[in-house]
Amino acid sequence: MRYFSWENGKYLRILGLFLLFFCGAALGTGAALVAAPRLYQRPLTPVPGTPAALKPPAGQPVQFTDSSPVVTIAKQVGPTVVGVSAMTGRNFTGEGGIKQGSGVIFDGANGYIVTNNHVIADAERITVSLDHDQVYPATVVGTDERSDLAVLQIKGANLPQARLGDSSTVQVGETVVAIGNPLGRAFARSVTVGVISALNREVTVPGPRGVEITLRTLQTDAPINPGNSGGALVNLRGEVIGINSVKIAASGVEGMGFAIPINDVRPIIDQILTRGYVTHPFLGVYNLQDITPEMARWYNIPEGVYIGGVFNDGPAARAGVKVGDVIVAVDNNRVADYADIQSIINKKAPGDRVILTVVRLAGKKQFDVAVTLGEMPSK
């Protein structure tokens, strides 16, 4: 009997090749398992030609490199923010009491500066500082107590000029930069960074003559301190979107600053420059109360703004509006609160006509009323 034949040899050679491939694959897999962890722990070799600029400097966060928009804003917008010093009188030592604030140059060719009215109210003498060496006397072009804004003018050559933005496009959470002179010239052009915390915040503050004024503002958590009033709130495009005006300073309260939106500032500036004073449209109603959806359901009344008082012989009274009416729309725009009404009215001038859609609760009758706006009384 023969144990090996051609066929048997062929089968043995096939079996041998199979075992050879199997052993090779097993050895390769084992080597890969051993080497792979070590390879993953090593830094990869840079690809030839990769720009070194793509790798951030070691230990230096990207947002604080020279490419940061905040650095650019500080360099380009910072010089347009000035210090404002207002001497308000004499104290018992014969020295003047001085209020410190900030301002923004919005017209470098003519030396026009916007600031807060409360910064310069009742001042006998005002100076504007661009830096420690450049200090100019300033004249008051015009003021408006109700908006807490004022325009100053200085005579200087080659003055920088800020670029004004569009506050209607501002979004909650958007990064902003505040620039001003907190605590005076010693800390001139301090830069702080934060976000827009809220839009259309109504803040009521005492006016210079003790009369409360209500401002519609942008809320920000960018640190604002005394002396920042009148300074710039800037977006990351380097555009001024607000004039810093108010901070809630109370124990345990942080990060609540407020700026007047630049779209509300523009018409005030325009009126001051064209006529020297500001007129505000007057509807002639007061003691207004917002009717929320919950209140509307509870009392079976329409959502809108309840009129608690009407000025005798005022624009609304002459048009037939009465106490107890509810304003539900202005010029066919639904209104949910007083801010909605003001945003429409403030875009108009005395003498303009608005259409109020009101519901008279007695009888639940809805109708339109044409009101010709008057001029807000000065006092």
Side-chain angles (χ1 to χ4, degrees), residues 348-359:
K348 298 182 179 294
D352 289 347
R353 192 179 74 160
V354 296
I355 303 298
L356 302 183
T357 301
V358 302
V359 174

Side-chain angles (χ1 to χ4, degrees), residues 141 267-277:
V141 180
I268 302 299
I269 290 175
D270 290 342
Q271 288 196 56
I272 288 176
L273 294 181
T274 55
R275 66 178 68 171
Y277 64 96

Side-chain angles (χ1 to χ4, degrees), residues 170-181:
V170 175
Q171 301 181 66
V172 173
E174 180 176 342
T175 300
V176 289
V177 178
I179 306 177
N181 290 20

Side-chain angles (χ1 to χ4, degrees), residues 103-114:
V104 179
I105 303 174
F106 66 88
D107 183 345
N110 294 294
Y112 289 132
I113 297 165
V114 62

Side-chain angles (χ1 to χ4, degrees), residues 20-69:
L20 179 63
F21 287 129
F22 177 81
C23 292
L27 288 172
T29 302
L33 291 173
V34 172
R38 298 180 182 178
L39 289 173
Y40 277 116
Q41 291 169 6
R42 298 175 188 168
L44 296 177
T45 303
V47 177
T50 300
L54 294 179
K55 295 186 293 184
Q60 188 176 6
V62 174
Q63 64 266 33
F64 296 127
T65 65
D66 284 345
S67 63
S68 167

